[in-house]
Amino acid sequence: MMTQKRWQKITEWPLAAAALIFLVAYSIEVIAQPPAETTAWLELTIWITWGAFFADYIVNLLLAEQRWHWFYTHVLDLLIVVLPMLRPLRLLRLVTLLTILNRTAGAAFRGRVIVYAAGAASLLVYVAALAVLDAERGGTGSIQTIQDGLWWAFVTITTVGYGDYFPVTGTGQLVAVGVMIGGIALIGVVTATLASWIVEKVEQNADRNEALEEAATRREIGELTAEITALRAIIESLADGYVRNDQDQLS
């Protein structure tokens, strides 16, 4: 019997490949501006990848044990189906396979967060550059080349916003809103990760100091115990001497 977990395991790599194919096809269509015949084939490829993601979403929803819970906890999957520009984000599921995580649980979690954040930021910059160029090129706006789009996306996601390049179309401005939200989320992730690292270091130092203090206390207790044992032996020796001396006098 097919389960949702088994389905996701089976489709993980095919969907990642579909996302990559979509990204390549869309990149060629936007950057190279090929002839009409080639563009038609690229559009067909894009629609086929959309069909793959749509089918995956429907199957996951049908196989979910609690469909409503799965629906509102997987809004990104729905957005990937509704918004074609988000499909390359499927590749983020495989980004962690390229990293060697630390042994501690906290460090491993931070490692995954950093990798996901870096991968999401890179993909968001590139996809946003493609989307804004697709929307703005040929109009009156300042974004007319892929270099313009990449520069605009980078300064926008970092919340710098020089203002030398900006979208003027409705679609371009909608892309800008998404990039701004992504930039704010990225700053939050970086801040939270840094705070987590600092807290863990403080806890490690506290544990180390506590261990050193405990070892010193044990050593002092051991030395004190040895001194008490030695004093007891001396006292018992003196007491035995007094007893023998009294017995000699009595005899």
Side-chain angles (χ1 to χ4, degrees):
M1 180 179 179
M2 179 63 69
T3 62
Q4 187 183 45
K5 185 175 181 180
R6 184 182 177 188
W7 170 261
Q8 291 176 348
K9 185 177 180 180
I10 293 173
T11 58
E12 188 71 30
W13 284 101
L15 288 177
L20 183 59
I21 291 171
F22 165 82
L23 186 59
V24 172
Y26 187 64
S27 299
I28 296 174
E29 183 179 11
V30 174
I31 298 174
Q33 291 184 292
E37 183 178 353
T38 304
T39 301
W41 282 104
L42 293 173
E43 283 291 331
L44 178 61
T45 302
I46 290 173
W47 277 104
I48 290 174
T49 61
W50 179 87
F53 284 99
F54 178 76
D56 174 68
Y57 181 82
I58 296 299
V59 172
N60 271 291
L61 184 61
L62 293 176
L63 293 178
E65 295 181 359
Q66 299 179 351
R67 293 177 182 175
W68 174 246
H69 180 267
W70 186 89
F71 173 78
Y72 72 78
T73 56
H74 291 78
V75 178
L76 179 60
D77 290 339
L78 177 60
L79 292 177
I80 288 172
V81 174
V82 177
L83 302 177
M85 295 304 101
L86 295 181
R87 287 176 209 163
L89 294 182
R90 279 283 186 173
L91 294 172
L92 288 178
R93 291 187 177 183
L94 305 177
V95 171
T96 51
L97 297 179
L98 305 178
T99 61
I100 300 177
L101 302 179
N102 296 328
R103 293 182 180 179
T104 61
F109 175 75
R110 278 198 309 275
R112 286 193 293 269
V113 169
I114 292 172
V115 170
Y116 269 87
S122 301
L123 280 175
L124 182 58
V125 166
Y126 182 67
V127 173
L130 291 175
V132 77
L133 177 61
D134 192 20
E136 297 290 316
R137 185 164 50 194
T140 59
S142 55
I143 303 174
Q144 297 297 323
T145 65
I146 187 61
Q147 290 83 359
D148 298 339
L150 288 171
W151 173 252
W152 167 83
F154 185 78
V155 298
T156 302
I157 198 174
T158 56
T159 67
V160 175
Y162 285 116
D164 48 353
Y165 295 98
F166 54 90
V168 295
T169 64
T171 303
Q173 291 171 353
L174 183 61
V175 173
V177 171
V179 176
M180 293 173 192
I181 295 174
I184 295 172
L186 179 63
I187 292 175
V189 169
V190 172
T191 303
T193 303
L194 180 60
S196 173
W197 179 79
I198 293 174
V199 169
E200 182 173 324
K201 289 299 179 182
V202 170
E203 290 179 351
Q204 288 178 351
N205 290 333
D207 293 340
R208 188 180 299 110
N209 293 334
E210 183 179 352
L212 292 175
E213 292 177 359
E214 184 177 352
T217 302
R218 289 179 178 178
R219 184 174 61 255
E220 292 174 357
I221 292 175
E223 293 175 353
L224 182 60
T225 301
E227 291 178 0
I228 293 174
T229 302
L231 288 174
R232 180 181 297 175
I234 293 173
I235 293 173
E236 290 177 353
S237 177
L238 291 174
D240 291 341
Y242 287 138
V243 170
R244 285 196 297 269
N245 187 25
D246 291 341
Q247 288 178 350
D248 292 341
Q249 290 180 356
L250 291 174
S251 60

